[in-house]
Amino acid sequence: MRNKILQKAGDMFLSLGFKSVTMDDIATEMGVSKKTIYKYFSNKVKLVEAVIEEFQIKIDEEILRVKNKNLNAIEEEFAVKAIFKDMFKNAKTSPMFQLKKYYPQIFEKLMEREVCTFEECNLDNLTKGKLQGLYRENINNNLISKFYFTLIFEIYETDIAEKNMQTLINLEYKVLEYHIRAIATPKGVKELENQLKLK
């Protein structure tokens, strides 16, 4: 039952927003009493925390699955981006923006973990891309990773974050293209062009 509640709450939070969905709404949607939900989650904050934890576990599993496919570095970046595109396809507005606005403590905790995951993935990807001749050998991995991180997360720091989630996903793809063009070899640019056609 706990997993069913998390699944339903997660779907509702993404499509309707963290703020607007109540415990009553979730209970009604599931056809159970509110008491059943409170048996597993003492309040809405605990439920939001648990849903975010589930999202993070899913994302980590999906990223690992992509990394085990032995794609080239640029294919890998697009495959990882596709995970987020698919996961948030039903979200109307940015879950990150909503969390920051309404659940700042949960947002801070999420960001701590996201920074680590992002940095680890990106540094690994940069090393791989250099070995495959897709990224220039003379780039500073740590510096490039910080640049990319700043660009991606800046999207969610501006009023753009209040807009349609699909607009944000499209912007993330633009940032990814910008990032790869800045570091790619001619071979890398060719692979980037291929991926942009497939997107």
Side-chain angles (χ1 to χ4, degrees), residues 7-62:
Q7 180 68 51
K8 179 54 71 179
D11 291 345
M12 290 178 75
F13 287 149
L14 284 183
S15 61
L16 303 168
F18 286 100
K19 179 86 161 71
S20 58
V21 174
T22 65
M23 299 294 252
D24 276 321
D25 294 333
I26 297 162
T28 302
E29 192 70 22
M30 292 186 71
V32 299
S33 70
K34 198 160 68 165
K35 191 177 173 184
T36 302
I37 295 175
Y38 280 115
K39 181 180 166 186
Y40 297 95
F41 305 98
S42 57
N43 56 51
K44 188 178 167 185
V45 173
K46 296 287 183 196
L47 178 56
V48 171
E49 277 180 332
V51 165
I52 295 302
E53 181 67 29
E54 280 296 302
F55 283 154
Q56 287 181 311
I57 289 166
K58 259 190 222 168
I59 288 166
D60 289 348
E61 285 171 355
E62 287 298 303

Side-chain angles (χ1 to χ4, degrees), residues 149-166:
F149 178 88
T150 302
L151 286 170
I152 284 288
F153 285 93
E154 184 59 29
I155 293 169
Y156 296 92
E157 292 294 320
T158 65
D159 59 358
I160 298 168
E162 294 186 68
K163 293 183 181 173
N164 183 281
M165 188 61 199
Q166 294 314 305

Side-chain angles (χ1 to χ4, degrees), residues 80-185:
V80 167
K81 194 62 68 191
I83 293 168
F84 292 93
K85 183 181 179 182
D86 184 59
M87 189 170 273
F88 300 121
K89 64 178 181 275
N90 296 322
K92 289 183 176 67
T93 57
S94 163
M96 298 274 278
F97 178 79
Q98 293 172 43
L99 280 179
K100 188 178 180 187
K101 191 171 181 180
Y102 303 114
Y103 299 95
Q105 287 179 313
I106 298 174
F107 175 79
E108 289 301 324
K109 194 175 169 186
L110 169 69
M111 286 305 293
E112 279 175 28
R113 184 162 164 179
E114 284 296 300
V115 168
C116 292
T117 303
F118 183 94
E119 197 170 60
E120 188 182 317
C121 278
N122 195 237
L123 289 172
D124 178 60
N125 183 269
L126 290 169
T127 301
K128 184 178 185 175
K130 282 182 178 180
L131 290 170
Q132 293 171 338
L134 297 168
Y135 303 151
R136 297 194 316 276
E137 283 186 21
N138 64 343
I139 61 169
N140 180 315
N141 288 10
N142 288 316
L143 197 58
I144 292 297
S145 184
K146 282 183 172 57
F147 286 164
Y148 185 33
F149 178 88
T150 302
L151 286 170
I152 284 288
F153 285 93
E154 184 59 29
I155 293 169
Y156 296 92
E157 292 294 320
T158 65
D159 59 358
I160 298 168
E162 294 186 68
K163 293 183 181 173
N164 183 281
M165 188 61 199
Q166 294 314 305
T167 303
L168 290 168
I169 288 168
N170 289 337
L171 278 170
E172 281 206 24
Y173 273 105
K174 292 288 183 193
V175 171
L176 175 59
E177 181 185 352
Y178 179 84
H179 163 70
I180 293 172
R181 284 195 190 283
I183 62 174
T185 60

